[in-house]
Amino acid sequence: MKLSLGVVFGGQSSEYSVSLHSTASFLRQIHEEKYDITKIGIDVEGHFYVYTGTIDDLEHDHWKSEETCIPCAWTHKGIILLDGSNKFIELDCVFPVVHGKNCEDGTLQGLFEVMNIHYVGCDTMSSAISMDKEIMHILCDQAQIPCAKYVCLNARKKNLTFAQIQELFPLPWIVKPCNAGSSYGVSKVNNETEFEKAVEEAFYYDGRGKILVEEMIDGFEIGCAVMGNEIIRTGSCDEIEITRGIFDFEGKYAMDGANIYCPARIDQKIFDEAQELARKVYVAMNCSGLARVDMFVTKDKKVILNELNTLPGMTATSRYPSMMKEAGLEFPDLIDQLIDLAMQRVVGAC
């Protein structure tokens, strides 16, 4: 008997377009014969629709039309069509191929929990604390996980000045939103003028009034794919080579000014340390299902945490599937295993 699988895409975040590309690739790769798939789109205003059109139209953001979309609402263990038929579609599991705020920050995960529907990825709490970079830093400090020095600026309180931050750690700095992904609103700062502009931009993308100012690490970035519930598996590590500035949105999705190498061009000792740190972070954040752990290798060959991504990109060439493929797990089989992990977890009153 086929598993009834809901695939959720879109969303009200700045990463809406990223979700569409991820979902299109995901749908082309999945072992379709194993599942009864219901595609569920979230438009930029937050409305839910069952989508019946083509993958190409979905990918190029032509998915929302009266011919291909049926409004729907979530209910216990599934969705109801709001087209007058009140048809109920039971869902065994949901795979959220979404990113950013209102998507991977625990919001959707809480909805699935309340509706007693299994879902792929970290639970509500882990998603929320991993998305908030300040909370992640605080918990990692408690778990003695090495991170960059930082301060958090909050729109609701008096903050440290530029000069006061300089006393804590030297320029250059990285300024970033606490709650955003895909490097939106991330800036490198070399002076006070750049700092003021970067703070304004980071607050704009955060939307929740908190941003981080971090020391800039003298080194390069690597990542490690992690998956599992009780039994945790690490994939390969990749390496990001920056040829200009920082690894921003254009670098991640257009490979403008950046190259990615998988496996990473690091010696075995650092490779092993990175996998172990990724595992430690995954456990500290109480993750389940999957996550991509991003780290830095410093000039003196120390590995420190950058941040955690609980719903990484899911195109065939995205970093997470690529690292798992390098470790011997092809993308279609990876999808199957992530769904299996979701079905193993107790959700709501299931």
Side-chain angles (χ1 to χ4, degrees):
M1 186 175 179
K2 290 185 178 182
L3 196 75
S4 178
L5 180 70
V7 178
V8 177
F9 65 90
Q12 288 182 282
S13 85
S14 54
E15 297 174 81
Y16 169 87
S17 62
V18 179
S19 169
L20 301 188
H21 290 295
S22 282
T23 305
S25 182
F26 174 94
L27 291 170
R28 293 184 181 113
Q29 293 287 331
I30 192 171
H31 287 128
E32 191 173 2
E33 70 280 1
K34 293 185 177 182
Y35 308 100
D36 283 324
I37 297 174
T38 302
K39 298 185 287 291
I40 304 166
I42 311 172
D43 70 11
V44 293
E45 295 177 341
H47 300 115
F48 288 86
Y49 299 90
V50 169
Y51 174 64
T52 60
T54 67
I55 296 175
D56 285 346
D57 281 346
L58 187 161
E59 183 172 25
H60 296 100
D61 200 12
H62 303 310
W63 66 275
K64 191 179 172 185
S65 70
E66 291 185 3
E67 292 76 24
T68 59
C69 288
I70 305 170
C72 65
W74 294 90
T75 187
H76 182 72
K77 292 188 177 294
I79 54 174
I80 293 177
L81 301 185
L82 302 179
D83 59 353
S85 68
N86 291 328
K87 179 182 176 182
F88 171 66
I89 300 176
E90 184 171 0
L91 298 173
D92 298 312
C93 184
V94 169
F95 202 125
V97 192
V98 289
H99 314 291
K101 289 184 294 184
N102 298 320
C103 293
E104 63 178 300
D105 58 2
T107 308
L108 270 181
Q109 291 74 13
L111 172 65
F112 302 145
E113 290 275 0
V114 170
M115 298 304 165
N116 285 13
I117 302 172
H118 292 275
Y119 57 94
V120 170
C122 294
D123 66 15
T124 304
M125 182 189 72
S126 297
S127 298
I129 63 178
S130 298
M131 184 71 175
D132 189 309
K133 296 177 180 65
E134 182 196 20
I135 303 301
M136 183 206 71
H137 267 292
I138 292 170
L139 293 174
C140 285
D141 286 344
Q142 290 293 317
Q144 298 183 319
I145 292 168
C147 301
K149 294 177 182 177
Y150 76 99
V151 295
C152 180
L153 306 185
N154 193 316
R156 295 177 294 179
K157 69 178 185 180
K158 183 177 177 62
N159 293 299
L160 296 177
T161 65
F162 177 84
Q164 288 171 327
I165 300 172
Q166 267 192 306
E167 293 178 2
L168 298 176
F169 46 87
L171 290 161
W173 303 332
I174 298 296
V175 177
K176 63 175 72 170
C178 277
N179 291 277
S182 288
S183 295
Y184 280 109
V186 178
S187 304
K188 178 183 176 184
V189 167
N190 294 287
N191 54 55
E192 189 167 4
T193 300
E194 292 178 355
F195 174 73
E196 292 173 355
K197 181 180 177 182
V199 166
E200 181 180 357
E201 184 178 11
F203 271 125
Y204 172 81
Y205 280 105
D206 182 79
R208 295 182 181 177
K210 294 198 307 179
I211 66 173
L212 287 190
V213 182
E214 292 181 338
E215 66 172 335
M216 186 165 181
I217 299 300
D218 189 6
F220 58 93
E221 187 172 347
I222 62 173
C224 183
V226 189
M227 67 183 293
N229 295 335
E230 288 78 21
I231 299 173
I232 300 170
R233 172 180 180 180
T234 55
S236 185
C237 295
D238 69 1
E239 173 194 348
I240 300 167
E241 179 187 52
I242 306 298
T243 57
R244 64 157 181 81
I246 59 175
F247 194 42
D248 55 12
F249 182 87
E250 286 74 22
K252 286 185 176 182
Y253 298 108
M255 297 312 298
D256 182 10
N259 298 305
I260 297 178
Y261 298 92
C262 187
R265 301 171 300 175
I266 53 180
D267 62 42
Q268 190 62 47
K269 181 176 181 294
I270 297 175
F271 198 100
D272 294 343
E273 288 177 2
Q275 287 185 316
E276 184 55 36
L277 181 60
R279 181 189 297 269
K280 185 176 181 180
V281 172
Y282 193 85
V283 172
M285 297 296 108
N286 200 36
C287 292
S288 53
L290 77 158
R292 191 190 73 228
V293 181
D294 296 335
M295 298 161 281
F296 292 111
V297 178
T298 66
K299 287 289 186 181
D300 54 357
K301 296 189 176 181
K302 293 180 180 177
V303 183
I304 68 172
L305 175 65
N306 179 17
E307 58 189 43
L308 192 67
N309 191 321
T310 56
L311 281 177
M314 279 291 163
T315 70
T317 57
S318 292
R319 295 176 63 198
Y320 187 91
S322 296
M323 285 187 277
M324 280 302 182
K325 181 178 180 180
E326 180 65 24
L329 188 58
E330 296 289 339
F331 194 9
D333 299 322
L334 169 63
I335 294 170
D336 289 342
Q337 291 198 20
L338 291 174
I339 293 169
D340 288 343
L341 288 169
M343 295 303 295
Q344 291 169 17
R345 290 206 321 256
V346 175
V347 177
C350 293

PDB file of all heavy atoms in Angstrom, residues 282-296:
ATOM      1  N   TYR A 282      24.108  18.622  16.438  1.00  0.00           N
ATOM      2  CA  TYR A 282      22.821  17.984  16.134  1.00  0.00           C
ATOM      3  C   TYR A 282      22.158  17.480  17.414  1.00  0.00           C
ATOM      4  O   TYR A 282      20.964  17.680  17.643  1.00  0.00           O
ATOM      5  CB  TYR A 282      23.082  16.830  15.169  1.00  0.00           C
ATOM      6  CG  TYR A 282      21.877  16.215  14.486  1.00  0.00           C
ATOM      7  CD1 TYR A 282      21.365  16.769  13.317  1.00  0.00           C
ATOM      8  CD2 TYR A 282      21.294  15.041  14.969  1.00  0.00           C
ATOM      9  CE1 TYR A 282      20.309  16.170  12.656  1.00  0.00           C
ATOM     10  CE2 TYR A 282      20.230  14.446  14.318  1.00  0.00           C
ATOM     11  CZ  TYR A 282      19.736  15.021  13.156  1.00  0.00           C
ATOM     12  OH  TYR A 282      18.671  14.422  12.507  1.00  0.00           O
ATOM     13  N   VAL A 283      22.954  16.857  18.282  1.00  0.00           N
ATOM     14  CA  VAL A 283      22.430  16.335  19.548  1.00  0.00           C
ATOM     15  C   VAL A 283      22.089  17.474  20.498  1.00  0.00           C
ATOM     16  O   VAL A 283      21.043  17.472  21.159  1.00  0.00           O
ATOM     17  CB  VAL A 283      23.446  15.371  20.192  1.00  0.00           C
ATOM     18  CG1 VAL A 283      23.005  14.974  21.591  1.00  0.00           C
ATOM     19  CG2 VAL A 283      23.625  14.119  19.327  1.00  0.00           C
ATOM     20  N   ALA A 284      22.961  18.485  20.566  1.00  0.00           N
ATOM     21  CA  ALA A 284      22.736  19.613  21.482  1.00  0.00           C
ATOM     22  C   ALA A 284      21.451  20.356  21.156  1.00  0.00           C
ATOM     23  O   ALA A 284      20.738  20.820  22.056  1.00  0.00           O
ATOM     24  CB  ALA A 284      23.927  20.569  21.429  1.00  0.00           C
ATOM     25  N   MET A 285      21.120  20.466  19.878  1.00  0.00           N
ATOM     26  CA  MET A 285      19.899  21.147  19.461  1.00  0.00           C
ATOM     27  C   MET A 285      18.692  20.203  19.436  1.00  0.00           C
ATOM     28  O   MET A 285      17.601  20.586  19.032  1.00  0.00           O
ATOM     29  CB  MET A 285      20.075  21.758  18.061  1.00  0.00           C
ATOM     30  CG  MET A 285      21.142  22.840  17.974  1.00  0.00           C
ATOM     31  SD  MET A 285      20.783  24.313  18.946  1.00  0.00           S
ATOM     32  CE  MET A 285      21.973  24.104  20.262  1.00  0.00           C
ATOM     33  N   ASN A 286      18.924  18.945  19.853  1.00  0.00           N
ATOM     34  CA  ASN A 286      17.874  17.923  19.888  1.00  0.00           C
ATOM     35  C   ASN A 286      17.222  17.720  18.519  1.00  0.00           C
ATOM     36  O   ASN A 286      16.004  17.539  18.394  1.00  0.00           O
ATOM     37  CB  ASN A 286      16.804  18.273  20.933  1.00  0.00           C
ATOM     38  CG  ASN A 286      15.982  17.068  21.346  1.00  0.00           C
ATOM     39  OD1 ASN A 286      16.500  15.958  21.447  1.00  0.00           O
ATOM     40  ND2 ASN A 286      14.690  17.267  21.574  1.00  0.00           N
ATOM     41  N   CYS A 287      18.047  17.732  17.485  1.00  0.00           N
ATOM     42  CA  CYS A 287      17.539  17.594  16.115  1.00  0.00           C
ATOM     43  C   CYS A 287      17.087  16.156  15.841  1.00  0.00           C
ATOM     44  O   CYS A 287      17.516  15.211  16.509  1.00  0.00           O
ATOM     45  CB  CYS A 287      18.618  17.976  15.112  1.00  0.00           C
ATOM     46  SG  CYS A 287      19.059  19.715  15.121  1.00  0.00           S
ATOM     47  N   SER A 288      16.247  16.020  14.846  1.00  0.00           N
ATOM     48  CA  SER A 288      15.817  14.711  14.352  1.00  0.00           C
ATOM     49  C   SER A 288      15.519  14.839  12.872  1.00  0.00           C
ATOM     50  O   SER A 288      15.253  15.931  12.370  1.00  0.00           O
ATOM     51  CB  SER A 288      14.577  14.217  15.109  1.00  0.00           C
ATOM     52  OG  SER A 288      13.548  15.184  15.080  1.00  0.00           O
ATOM     53  N   GLY A 289      15.576  13.720  12.166  1.00  0.00           N
ATOM     54  CA  GLY A 289      15.320  13.760  10.729  1.00  0.00           C
ATOM     55  C   GLY A 289      16.552  14.155   9.960  1.00  0.00           C
ATOM     56  O   GLY A 289      17.292  13.307   9.454  1.00  0.00           O
ATOM     57  N   LEU A 290      16.787  15.463   9.867  1.00  0.00           N
ATOM     58  CA  LEU A 290      17.943  15.941   9.094  1.00  0.00           C
ATOM     59  C   LEU A 290      18.341  17.337   9.514  1.00  0.00           C
ATOM     60  O   LEU A 290      17.539  18.088  10.091  1.00  0.00           O
ATOM     61  CB  LEU A 290      17.644  15.945   7.594  1.00  0.00           C
ATOM     62  CG  LEU A 290      16.773  17.086   7.044  1.00  0.00           C
ATOM     63  CD1 LEU A 290      17.016  17.268   5.547  1.00  0.00           C
ATOM     64  CD2 LEU A 290      15.300  16.870   7.312  1.00  0.00           C
ATOM     65  N   ALA A 291      19.570  17.702   9.211  1.00  0.00           N
ATOM     66  CA  ALA A 291      20.059  19.065   9.356  1.00  0.00           C
ATOM     67  C   ALA A 291      21.390  19.168   8.624  1.00  0.00           C
ATOM     68  O   ALA A 291      22.095  18.173   8.439  1.00  0.00           O
ATOM     69  CB  ALA A 291      20.237  19.458  10.821  1.00  0.00           C
ATOM     70  N   ARG A 292      21.707  20.372   8.197  1.00  0.00           N
ATOM     71  CA  ARG A 292      23.043  20.655   7.669  1.00  0.00           C
ATOM     72  C   ARG A 292      23.735  21.573   8.666  1.00  0.00           C
ATOM     73  O   ARG A 292      23.205  22.628   9.023  1.00  0.00           O
ATOM     74  CB  ARG A 292      22.967  21.337   6.306  1.00  0.00           C
ATOM     75  CG  ARG A 292      24.334  21.406   5.582  1.00  0.00           C
ATOM     76  CD  ARG A 292      24.296  22.293   4.354  1.00  0.00           C
ATOM     77  NE  ARG A 292      24.241  23.705   4.726  1.00  0.00           N
ATOM     78  CZ  ARG A 292      23.382  24.570   4.208  1.00  0.00           C
ATOM     79  NH1 ARG A 292      22.479  24.192   3.321  1.00  0.00           N
ATOM     80  NH2 ARG A 292      23.404  25.840   4.595  1.00  0.00           N
ATOM     81  N   VAL A 293      24.916  21.155   9.107  1.00  0.00           N
ATOM     82  CA  VAL A 293      25.682  21.940  10.070  1.00  0.00           C
ATOM     83  C   VAL A 293      26.797  22.663   9.320  1.00  0.00           C
ATOM     84  O   VAL A 293      27.638  22.021   8.685  1.00  0.00           O
ATOM     85  CB  VAL A 293      26.260  21.044  11.183  1.00  0.00           C
ATOM     86  CG1 VAL A 293      27.042  21.884  12.192  1.00  0.00           C
ATOM     87  CG2 VAL A 293      25.138  20.273  11.882  1.00  0.00           C
ATOM     88  N   ASP A 294      26.783  23.997   9.390  1.00  0.00           N
ATOM     89  CA  ASP A 294      27.800  24.809   8.725  1.00  0.00           C
ATOM     90  C   ASP A 294      28.854  25.236   9.739  1.00  0.00           C
ATOM     91  O   ASP A 294      28.526  25.696  10.843  1.00  0.00           O
ATOM     92  CB  ASP A 294      27.153  26.043   8.092  1.00  0.00           C
ATOM     93  CG  ASP A 294      26.172  25.670   6.990  1.00  0.00           C
ATOM     94  OD1 ASP A 294      26.322  24.577   6.403  1.00  0.00           O
ATOM     95  OD2 ASP A 294      25.248  26.460   6.720  1.00  0.00           O
ATOM     96  N   MET A 295      30.115  25.098   9.356  1.00  0.00           N
ATOM     97  CA  MET A 295      31.232  25.340  10.260  1.00  0.00           C
ATOM     98  C   MET A 295      32.326  26.127   9.555  1.00  0.00           C
ATOM     99  O   MET A 295      32.292  26.304   8.335  1.00  0.00           O
ATOM    100  CB  MET A 295      31.794  24.001  10.757  1.00  0.00           C
ATOM    101  CG  MET A 295      30.821  23.166  11.554  1.00  0.00           C
ATOM    102  SD  MET A 295      31.273  21.394  11.658  1.00  0.00           S
ATOM    103  CE  MET A 295      30.739  20.798  10.041  1.00  0.00           C
ATOM    104  N   PHE A 296      33.269  26.615  10.335  1.00  0.00           N
ATOM    105  CA  PHE A 296      34.471  27.253   9.809  1.00  0.00           C
ATOM    106  C   PHE A 296      35.692  26.433  10.187  1.00  0.00           C
ATOM    107  O   PHE A 296      35.753  25.857  11.273  1.00  0.00           O
ATOM    108  CB  PHE A 296      34.649  28.665  10.377  1.00  0.00           C
ATOM    109  CG  PHE A 296      33.615  29.652   9.917  1.00  0.00           C
ATOM    110  CD1 PHE A 296      32.684  30.147  10.823  1.00  0.00           C
ATOM    111  CD2 PHE A 296      33.580  30.100   8.611  1.00  0.00           C
ATOM    112  CE1 PHE A 296      31.737  31.065  10.422  1.00  0.00           C
ATOM    113  CE2 PHE A 296      32.629  31.024   8.197  1.00  0.00           C
ATOM    114  CZ  PHE A 296      31.701  31.504   9.104  1.00  0.00           C
TER     115      PHE A 296
END
